[in-house]
Structure formats: C-alpha cells, structure tokens
C-alpha cells in the first residue's frame, strides 16, 4: 500500500512569509514540487525552487512530504510535476524494486543537483562508535517512504543487524529525530541530506554529537544495490565540534514524469541554472549545480528529452 505523506505549503512560505495550509496542492494553473520533511535540505531548497519558478511564469506550490519514495509516487500519479529524490530510490522506482513492489514508475530525470551525505548521529556520551553498536538500541531510521529509510535499512542489514529484531525502530524525520535524541527517547538516528543540514547543526550547537564512520559498509552496499553509493567525507567545520568523518554519499536527482512536455522540462531546468545564485542564497547546496555533474545520472535512470536538449544547447 502506498503511503501518501504530503502536506501542502505554497512556495512563498519558505521565502516571503506564511501561506494558508488550506491552499490545495498545486491548484488550477499551478505546478507542484514534492520536497521533503521539516528541517531537511529538500524542503528549504525545494521551497526556493518553487518561489523562483513562480516568479518566472510557472506558479508552483512546494509540498512538504516524507521525501524520496513518497515523492516519486506523487509524480508518477500526477499529483506533483517535479520531485526531489535520492538516486538509489529513483533506481528502485524505474526498476520496480523494494519499496515499489514490482511497479516500474514512468519517470525521467532533469538532472543531478548535489549529493546527499549519510549521517548516523548519536550523542558522544552514548559510546556508540559504529553501526554494530546500535544493537539493542532505539534508532530512528527516517520518515516512512523516505530515501533515508531506504539507506537506513540497508546500512543495518549490511552491518549484520536485523532491522526488525536487533533494534527498536522509530520512523521520524530529521527535525523530530534531532529533538528525540536531545531528549533521550532515541539513542541514534539516520539522516541522508545535504551539508549542512539545519536540524543537525542546531543539535550540534547544544549537544556533543558524533557522526559514525560509514565507509567500511560501502563495498557490501555496492555489491547488493549498485553504484549509486560512493565514499565521501563530512569535513571539519560542517557541524560545530564534529571532526571529519568518512561516510557515504548518494546523488540527488530532480525527477519528472517521462511524458512531461519537453519544452516545459527544458525551461524549468534553464531557470534553475539561470537563477543558481539566488537559489544558493536560500541553501548552499544549490552551489553544487553544474552542467558537468547535472548530466551524470546513475543508470538505469535516464534524462528527460527536454533536459537533454537543454544540456546540448548549454555546452
């Protein structure tokens, strides 16, 4: 059964002020962009994209959602036109694997935006140093139907832990997870997001936290799930008091239905490049948008016809 975790928020709520929650998603003449949960990069970045689209002739509503899995169903079903998604979840969607239960979704990518960094966060006082130390602990693995949940479950499995038997699972978004760790109702949480993620920055300013090293689990992830996972590093200074740590990154894609008008796909992508500086003022992850990297999508995900045309013209 599909879980639909959508809350409608107009794009102007992120930049210019509040909008009524009674406003319908999209609405006549409006597009909808599916983002992510409170405190995450998708929500902030996606809100900025919605505002920018709206200011340039394409009225757009940004939706707060559970993120990747939820987002791809929303686009496939026509409830949103554009969605943020992790590449590993997009691969699952076009192949009909795992969370998509054999249903191959008719999706294409506008491009790669930036990379998500996998965080496994604990309090330093907990003594938790690796995934195996989570046995017997209470762990949030991300909101249901999120890309965080996908990689969280996979990390536990490749570390030899049964997600149903060896940990007590909570299903919280990053903002809720940070609050729960601070108050002691969970021992650790998983988050896949851009750097820095505001909720973790806020947590690190009030509590001494650790990020677990994850590079040792990369070979098994690649063996079982493909090449969407790559080694990365959270550098010194990304979070207050947190030393550099090796982790795993996953590209973030902007996804649309395969039958979106090529002209619309081209124009939306062009707007993002033309207004990159403005988007970067909203969140620094937008700085990572480059012509070279945007065209690189992990197979079997394919670029939309309109996106291909934009890249050919821009080179």
């Amino acid at each position: 059964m599909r879980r639909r975790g959508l809350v409608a928020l107009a794009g102007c709520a992120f930049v210019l002020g509040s909008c009524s929650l009674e406003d319908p998603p999209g609405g006549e003449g409006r597009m909808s962009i599916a983002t992510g949960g409170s405190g995450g990069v998708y929500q902030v970045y996606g809100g900025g994209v919605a505002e920018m689209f709206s200011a340039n002739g394409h009225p757009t509503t940004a939706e707060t959602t559970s993120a990747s899995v939820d987002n791809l169903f929303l686009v496939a079903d026509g409830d949103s036109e554009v969605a943020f998604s992790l590449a590993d979840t997009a691969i699952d969607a076009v192949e009909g694997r795992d969370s998509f239960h054999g249903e191959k979704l008719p999706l294409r990518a506008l491009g790669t935006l930036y990379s998500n960094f996998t965080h496994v966060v604990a309090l330093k006082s907990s003594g938790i140093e690796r995934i195996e130390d989570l046995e017997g602990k209470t762990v949030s693995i991300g909101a249901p139907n999120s890309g965080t949940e996908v990689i969280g479950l996979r990390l536990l499995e490749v570390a030899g832990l049964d997600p149903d038997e060896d940990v007590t699972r909570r299903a919280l978004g990053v903002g809720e997870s940070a609050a729960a760790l601070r108050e002691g109702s969970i021992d650790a949480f998983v988050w896949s997001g851009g750097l820095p993620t505001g909720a973790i920055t806020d947590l690190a300013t009030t509590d001494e936290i650790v990020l677990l090293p994850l590079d040792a689990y990369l070979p098994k992830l690649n063996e079982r799930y493909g090449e969407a996972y790559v080694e990365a590093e959270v550098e010194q200074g990304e979070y207050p008091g947190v030393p550099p740590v090796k982790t795993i990154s996953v590209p973030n894609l902007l996804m649309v239905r395969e039958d979106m008008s090529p002209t619309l796909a081209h124009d939306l992508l062009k707007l993002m490049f033309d207004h990159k500086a403005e988007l970067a003022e909203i969140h620094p992850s937008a700085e990572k948008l480059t012509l070279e990297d945007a065209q690189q999508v992990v197979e079997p995900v394919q670029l939309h016809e309109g996106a291909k045309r934009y890249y050919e013209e821009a080179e």
Side-chain angles (χ1 to χ4, degrees):
M1 180 181 295
R2 298 184 184 182
R3 179 185 181 279
R4 310 305 293 275
L6 179 151
V7 177
L9 290 175
C12 54
F14 295 91
V15 182
L16 299 179
S18 63
C19 293
S20 170
L21 290 179
E22 295 178 358
D23 291 339
E28 186 174 352
R30 298 186 68 86
M31 295 194 305
S32 163
I33 180 168
T35 65
S38 177
V41 176
Y42 280 3
Q43 188 195 49
V44 179
Y45 193 166
V49 171
E51 175 65 14
M52 182 269 292
F53 284 169
S54 295
N56 289 276
H58 298 281
T60 302
T61 298
E63 317 290 356
T64 295
T65 70
S66 294
S68 296
V69 176
D70 220 18
N71 290 356
L72 296 180
F73 277 130
L74 288 167
V75 170
D77 290 347
D79 294 321
S80 291
E81 283 72 32
V82 183
F84 284 73
S85 175
L86 284 167
D88 56 343
T89 308
I91 290 170
D92 290 347
V94 300
E95 290 190 332
R97 291 191 321 196
D98 291 352
S99 300
F100 300 92
H101 307 294
E103 182 181 2
K104 297 181 179 181
L105 302 188
L107 304 171
R108 294 288 186 270
L110 293 185
T112 296
L113 301 178
Y114 64 98
S115 288
N116 261 21
F117 288 70
T118 306
H119 304 61
V120 181
V121 186
L123 295 179
K124 190 172 183 179
S125 59
S126 70
I128 295 170
E129 297 180 345
R130 57 187 190 138
I131 299 293
E132 289 83 352
D133 295 336
L134 299 177
E135 185 172 3
K137 306 294 187 183
T138 300
V139 183
S140 172
I141 60 164
N145 277 348
S146 66
T148 294
E149 182 185 54
V150 171
I151 194 170
L153 291 172
R154 290 174 177 180
L155 274 171
L156 291 172
E157 290 167 357
V158 299
L161 299 181
D162 185 328
D164 297 317
E165 301 290 337
D166 294 332
V167 301
T168 300
R169 282 166 50 184
R170 297 283 303 279
L172 306 174
V174 64
E176 297 170 303
S177 292
L181 187 66
R182 180 182 285 121
E183 69 188 21
S185 60
I186 63 172
D187 299 295
F189 68 87
V190 182
W191 167 246
S192 181
L195 297 176
T197 293
I200 298 176
T201 299
D202 292 345
L203 178 65
T205 61
T206 60
D207 296 82
E208 201 170 4
I209 65 170
V210 294
L211 300 182
L212 306 193
L214 303 177
D215 52 312
Y217 309 102
L218 182 60
K220 284 187 178 179
L221 284 171
N222 289 151
E223 180 182 347
R224 296 186 190 182
Y225 301 109
E227 300 302 315
Y229 303 111
V230 298
E231 184 174 316
E233 182 175 71
V234 178
E235 297 179 351
Q236 182 87 35
E238 289 288 358
Y239 296 109
V242 177
V245 62
K246 296 288 186 183
T247 186
I248 295 164
S249 70
V250 186
N252 282 292
L253 306 178
L254 204 61
M255 302 292 292
V256 298
R257 278 183 60 95
E258 64 183 11
D259 60 1
M260 174 180 271
S261 157
T263 298
L264 178 58
H266 170 280
D267 292 351
L268 294 180
L269 190 56
K270 184 176 187 301
L271 281 173
M272 291 191 66
F273 276 95
D274 288 349
H275 294 270
K276 173 180 169 179
E278 296 165 39
L279 292 173
E281 291 180 1
I282 295 167
H283 198 281
S285 290
E287 285 283 5
K288 309 277 194 312
L289 181 66
T290 68
L291 281 172
E292 180 180 1
D293 292 342
Q295 301 177 62
Q296 308 304 316
V297 294
V298 182
E299 294 183 354
V301 178
Q302 298 178 35
L303 285 172
H304 190 280
E305 177 186 348
K308 291 180 182 177
R309 179 158 65 87
Y310 172 77
Y311 294 126
E312 289 169 0
E313 292 173 0
E315 288 184 333

